[in-house]
Amino acid sequence: DVKVTQSSRYLVKRTGEKVFLECVQDMDHENMFWYRQDPGLGLRLIYFSYDVKMKEKGDIPEGYSVSREKKERFSLILESASTNQTSMYLCASSPDRALSYEQYFGPGTRLTVT
Amino acid sequence: SQQGEEDPQALSIQEGENATMNCSYKTSINNLQWYRQNSGRGLVHLILIRSNEREKHSGRLRVTLDTSKKSSSLLITASRAADTASYFCATDRYNFNKFYFGSGTKLNVKP
């Protein structure tokens, strides 16, 4: 079974702190994604990576950056956390589209910024 | 802007009844997927339908796609309490690896 793990289920941080959210997948997938999920807004794509060291902005990249130094790990960085970044963050991975379009999700990190 | 939008936003039915959820989208697609999310958890893939397919089945799930109306429906037959979850449709973009997710239909199946 594909497993996507996220470093924390719940996280509380203060405004202005630098926050790291880690995601690891164990299926050698090329593609990895970071979404945030807010009530009534669904999932919105923050960043996408299609290969090591490669990244692409999603729909709402402002205030975020990402790092993919190894194929299995994709990190989301909040450079200076703000209260409007309080949200559920979901990481996902998928294989090359020649194989499948299915995305495999982690359990999510509920981040609260106070 | 987001592509897929689900309707209704919330649905409450009795166990054993059928549940139908709809998804509408704005521009042409190649693939449409449905996912389920149990409360506070990650999403789980249910089914994918390609633009050249009209209907697809998987167990108690039936998905239809009408590209002329830019809409899809997910039917869950003989629902169970364990089907209580939020259901999302996801439509692809120009980059086939990326999908737009809607805001979901929250299904409550009462025992």
Side-chain angles (χ1 to χ4, degrees), chain A residues 46-65:
Chain A
I46 304 171
Y47 265 98
F48 159 61
S49 170
Y50 52 92
D51 202 350
V52 175
K53 297 190 189 294
M54 306 304 287
K55 62 186 179 186
E56 201 172 296
K57 290 180 180 178
D59 301 313
I60 51 164
E62 297 78 18
Y64 304 94
S65 61

Side-chain angles (χ1 to χ4, degrees), chain A residues 9 37 41 56 59 103 106, chain B residues 35 37 40-41 93 98:
Chain A
R9 288 299 315 277
Q37 183 178 21
L41 296 177
E56 201 172 296
D59 301 313
Q103 295 193 12
Chain B
Y35 286 80
Q37 183 182 35
R41 309 293 295 187
R93 315 185 187 197
K98 297 196 292 187

Side-chain angles (χ1 to χ4, degrees), chain B residues 43-55:
Chain B
L43 279 70
V44 174
H45 180 262
L46 295 176
I47 198 165
L48 177 147
I49 189 164
R50 300 182 189 280
S51 59
N52 61 354
E53 296 175 313
R54 291 296 166 257
E55 189 170 310

